[in-house]
Amino acid sequence: MDIPPLAGKIAALSLSALPVSYALNHVSALSHPLWVALMSALILGLLFVAVYSLSHGEISYDPLYAVFAVFAFTSVVDLIIALQEDGYVVGFMDFYTKEGEPYLRTAHGVFICYWDGTVHYLLYLVMAGAICRRKRYRNFGLYWLGSFAMSILVFLTGNILGKYSSEIRPAFFLTIPYLLVPCWAGVRVFSQPRAPTCCTANTVQEEQRKGLLQRPADLALVIYLILAGFFTLFRGLVVLDCPTDSCFVYIYQYEPYLRDPVAYPKVQMLMYMFYVLPFCGLAAYALTFPGCSWLPDWALVFAGAIGQAQFSHMGASMHLRTPFTYRVPEDTWGCFFVCNLLYALGPHLLAYRCLQWPAFFHQPPPSGPIALHKKQH
């Protein structure tokens, strides 16, 4: 998978978030939630106009260029928020975290800002750079789509259902476009042509003749998916207050963060149970039976989703902003870290396997009279 050069123009424009946020932080009028929301909307509108006027050709070629440019700016803002909440910088975004979105000051909010300000930011630069050079970015787009969708769904749902539901301000409604963009972007990314592969018909036939026991890497992935499915179901039952002793022991001795009233961890586990659990079963099927051409794409989507979710969940479980009673106990820290790290690593290994050796997932070549007829003509 070729990595296109980064978009220098977008990078330069996104760094304007530093002086803009610093200046706005010292405007006394931004001490009211409504003014914070209006000013934020105005800045995003002006930013879109600037991007459109500077990059009309790129936007005409692919409208997602404008989305990536605006989101790159907000990613820098999110990184500033995370660094400020952890005490590394001061005097930039106090006005927004106090009067705009106070739930960004939670441990979960801090870590989704870190992820958005690093991983998402690099993805925006890579995808915008690919558009500038008229190159493919489908695989990067699928990973971003899963990561972005998981982040926003858990965050918004947790804001509404958790203890910060009474702290929702007008700036919250600026996140509504974030729900619509993944739908539109997903359609455009999935509609892009896949990168060509060098698999010949003989290679596909030879690979698809092998049973699961003849493919040890796939066998290991199937075992992982089965175990991950059981782990997903177990944690879903835990947050649903399953009365069994094992669930009680787990939530109090291994992951007490699941009881945190901010609701983000509970929503996250339910997202896993309703979406990741079925995917584990379907992916295990696709690794067993050939011709499931959908798996490479969806493996990337779920790798992005689970990577983002596990980063935020693991970080928030141990962060100082999480109350001490909900943090991972020191004596179970190793078990917690290993289990959650493997849970995050597995989907990435699955996506890597699908991209590097895709022959097993190709549609089987036609055989019999149809193939003979094609050869004759």
Side-chain angles (χ1 to χ4, degrees):
M1 183 171 58
D2 295 333
I3 300 178
L6 302 182
K9 190 188 302 183
I10 297 301
L13 190 63
S14 64
L15 292 178
S16 65
L18 291 166
V20 169
S21 60
Y22 185 81
L24 291 177
N25 196 58
H26 292 80
V27 177
S28 59
L30 293 179
S31 58
H32 192 279
L34 182 59
W35 284 112
V36 171
L38 292 176
M39 184 58 70
S40 301
L42 177 62
I43 291 173
L44 291 177
L46 293 175
L47 179 63
F48 179 81
V49 172
V51 171
Y52 186 82
S53 60
L54 293 173
S55 308
H56 183 69
E58 288 82 358
I59 295 175
S60 300
Y61 176 74
D62 190 339
L64 283 179
Y65 183 88
V67 174
F68 299 150
V70 173
F71 281 7
F73 179 90
T74 61
S75 291
V76 175
V77 171
D78 282 344
L79 183 59
I80 294 170
I81 290 174
L83 293 173
Q84 179 175 274
E85 294 304 316
D86 277 344
Y88 296 110
V89 298
V90 293
F92 281 88
M93 293 296 293
D94 289 313
F95 75 97
Y96 193 80
T97 54
K98 289 180 180 178
E99 303 297 339
E101 297 188 73
Y103 28 80
L104 287 174
R105 309 183 77 175
T106 63
H108 182 85
V110 168
F111 274 90
I112 66 168
C113 285
Y114 273 126
W115 183 271
D116 190 48
T118 53
V119 177
H120 284 174
Y121 182 65
L122 290 175
L123 287 173
Y124 294 141
L125 296 185
V126 168
M127 292 187 291
I131 293 173
C132 288
R133 291 159 181 81
R134 307 300 191 261
K135 292 185 177 181
R136 293 185 179 91
Y137 62 91
R138 191 175 193 272
N139 291 338
F140 293 103
L142 292 173
Y143 189 89
W144 165 77
L145 180 64
S147 174
F148 187 85
M150 179 65 83
S151 173
I152 200 68
L153 286 174
V154 172
F155 187 59
L156 293 184
T157 309
N159 294 341
I160 295 171
L161 300 179
K163 70 175 186 179
Y164 282 90
S165 58
S166 59
E167 296 287 335
I168 292 178
R169 313 287 173 81
F172 174 82
F173 297 100
L174 293 176
T175 58
I176 292 178
Y178 281 75
L179 291 174
L180 303 177
V181 166
C183 300
W184 173 60
V187 172
R188 292 193 63 89
V189 171
F190 270 103
S191 64
Q192 292 183 8
R194 294 179 179 177
T197 61
C198 57
C199 299
T200 63
N202 290 334
T203 303
V204 172
Q205 287 181 334
E206 181 181 352
E207 190 68 22
Q208 294 185 354
R209 286 195 195 102
K210 297 179 181 178
L212 185 60
L213 296 179
Q214 296 174 290
R215 294 176 283 118
D218 288 355
L219 178 61
L221 285 172
V222 169
I223 294 172
Y224 160 80
L225 289 167
I226 293 172
L227 295 176
F230 279 115
F231 188 53
T232 301
L233 179 61
F234 175 71
R235 290 204 291 184
L237 294 175
V238 166
V239 298
L240 291 175
D241 297 326
C242 178
T244 62
D245 291 341
S246 57
C247 291
F248 181 84
V249 170
Y250 186 82
I251 200 169
Y252 279 93
Q253 295 186 13
Y254 290 89
E255 285 200 58
Y257 178 59
L258 298 178
R259 298 186 293 116
D260 195 325
V262 292
Y264 302 121
K266 178 174 287 189
V267 172
Q268 186 65 76
M269 295 306 114
L270 293 178
M271 286 284 184
Y272 281 159
M273 189 167 69
F274 292 133
Y275 296 101
V276 176
L277 179 58
F279 173 75
C280 288
L282 292 171
Y285 173 88
L287 286 169
T288 306
F289 301 98
C292 297
S293 57
W294 52 266
L295 182 60
D297 289 346
W298 286 102
L300 276 170
V301 172
F302 276 87
I306 296 174
Q308 186 281 326
Q310 285 298 103
F311 175 83
S312 301
H313 178 70
M314 293 173 67
S317 297
M318 298 177 285
H319 197 265
L320 294 177
R321 285 187 178 269
T322 298
F324 180 78
T325 54
Y326 299 129
R327 287 184 223 155
V328 179
E330 291 185 5
D331 55 341
T332 59
W333 188 89
C335 179
F336 164 83
F337 186 81
V338 170
C339 290
N340 280 276
L341 184 62
L342 290 175
Y343 192 81
L345 184 61
H348 291 79
L349 294 177
L350 174 62
Y352 179 78
R353 181 261 180 270
C354 294
L355 291 176
Q356 292 298 112
W357 303 281
F360 185 78
F361 309 108
H362 285 199
Q363 291 293 333
S367 58
I370 298 177
L372 182 60
H373 178 74
K374 288 184 177 179
K375 286 181 181 180
Q376 293 174 347
H377 295 277

